[in-house]
Amino acid sequence: MRKEMLLILSGILTASIFFKVGLNKWLESKPESTQPPVVVRPAPPQPISPPQEEKAKEEPKAEEKKQTPPTEPQKQKEDLIARNTQDEKTKEVQKTQESKNLKARKQETRKKVAKQEKQAEKPKREVKEYVIQIGTFSSKEKADRALKKAKGMGYKAEIVREDKLYKVRVRVKTDNPKKVLAGLRSAFGSATIKQ
């Protein structure tokens, strides 16, 4: 444990020595004639006492005459600063717009993937042919009317004679027999799967 601590402390000491030597060399190689950047700050407004207000109204006209227009290099610097800040604002707006667009695309992709996963999870039903009896009649005329109505709805229909009764049956190919049964029941009053 002590050896590890000594090793760590000696490593820290060595690193700090190299840092100090490197910093000193860098400071020595740095040119000393660099001037600090020019910072322009507006002068704070001076409070005006009530008797001097009248003079203050007259003085701005005189001060306006005294003010000299900024020099050309100063104008160029101000224009450059203004352009840089405008460019930065434009870039920030573009970045936020791009991030919004990216988020919207990601959400759309997630929705599509979720929808595809749901569709993949649904078991596909097998399409089968069903024989559905839609009515049992004692008279041939009533059976013929039901047959005509079923054929008018687009079903393949037939009349079967069993037990001295006329039974009207339709043949349907579907993967959802419950839905077909509900439609036939609403049209004919009853419907039963026979096969």
Side-chain angles (χ1 to χ4, degrees):
M1 182 75 174
R2 285 186 180 185
K3 288 181 181 180
E4 292 172 358
M5 290 297 286
L6 286 174
L7 184 63
I8 291 171
L9 289 174
S10 65
I12 293 172
L13 180 64
T14 306
S16 62
I17 290 171
F18 277 113
F19 175 75
K20 178 140 175 101
V21 169
L23 181 63
N24 284 338
K25 285 191 176 185
W26 178 73
L27 288 173
E28 288 173 2
S29 67
K30 187 177 175 186
E32 294 179 19
S33 64
T34 59
Q35 296 177 349
V38 176
V39 178
V40 179
R41 294 184 185 163
Q46 296 177 353
I48 301 173
S49 61
Q52 294 178 348
E53 284 182 15
E54 293 174 10
K55 291 181 181 178
K57 289 179 184 176
E58 295 173 4
E59 287 179 11
K61 293 177 184 176
E63 287 179 15
E64 288 175 7
K65 293 177 184 176
K66 291 180 184 177
Q67 289 180 351
T68 58
T71 61
E72 191 63 32
Q74 197 173 18
K75 275 187 178 180
Q76 288 176 351
K77 284 182 184 179
E78 290 174 1
D79 290 344
L80 181 63
I81 291 170
R83 270 188 258 130
N84 287 342
T85 54
Q86 186 64 31
D87 289 345
E88 288 174 7
K89 287 180 183 178
T90 305
K91 287 178 184 178
E92 287 178 23
V93 168
Q94 288 174 347
K95 285 181 182 179
T96 55
Q97 189 65 31
E98 288 174 1
S99 66
K100 286 180 183 178
N101 291 342
L102 183 62
K103 287 179 184 178
R105 279 188 251 129
K106 284 182 180 180
Q107 287 178 347
E108 288 177 18
T109 305
R110 287 181 189 143
K111 287 179 183 178
K112 286 179 184 177
V113 169
K115 187 176 181 180
Q116 289 173 351
E117 288 175 354
K118 284 183 182 179
Q119 289 177 349
E121 288 175 3
K122 290 181 182 177
K124 293 186 178 178
R125 296 181 186 168
E126 194 175 319
V127 177
K128 293 182 181 179
E129 184 175 47
Y130 296 93
V131 177
I132 302 173
Q133 185 171 306
I134 57 172
T136 304
F137 304 96
S138 58
S139 73
K140 175 92 167 128
E141 294 82 27
K142 289 182 181 178
D144 284 335
R145 276 189 258 145
L147 178 71
K148 187 176 179 181
K149 185 177 179 181
K151 284 186 176 181
M153 292 174 68
Y155 292 106
K156 293 181 184 178
E158 62 185 359
I159 296 175
V160 178
R161 174 127 174 129
E162 270 182 11
D163 303 327
K164 298 180 184 181
L165 295 171
Y166 298 97
K167 299 179 179 180
V168 181
R169 295 180 180 162
V170 294
R171 293 188 178 274
V172 180
K173 287 186 179 181
T174 183
D175 64 341
N176 191 354
K178 291 180 181 178
K179 185 177 179 182
V180 174
L181 274 174
L184 289 170
R185 283 183 182 141
S186 67
F188 295 99
S190 69
T192 311
I193 295 179
K194 289 294 178 185
Q195 191 180 27

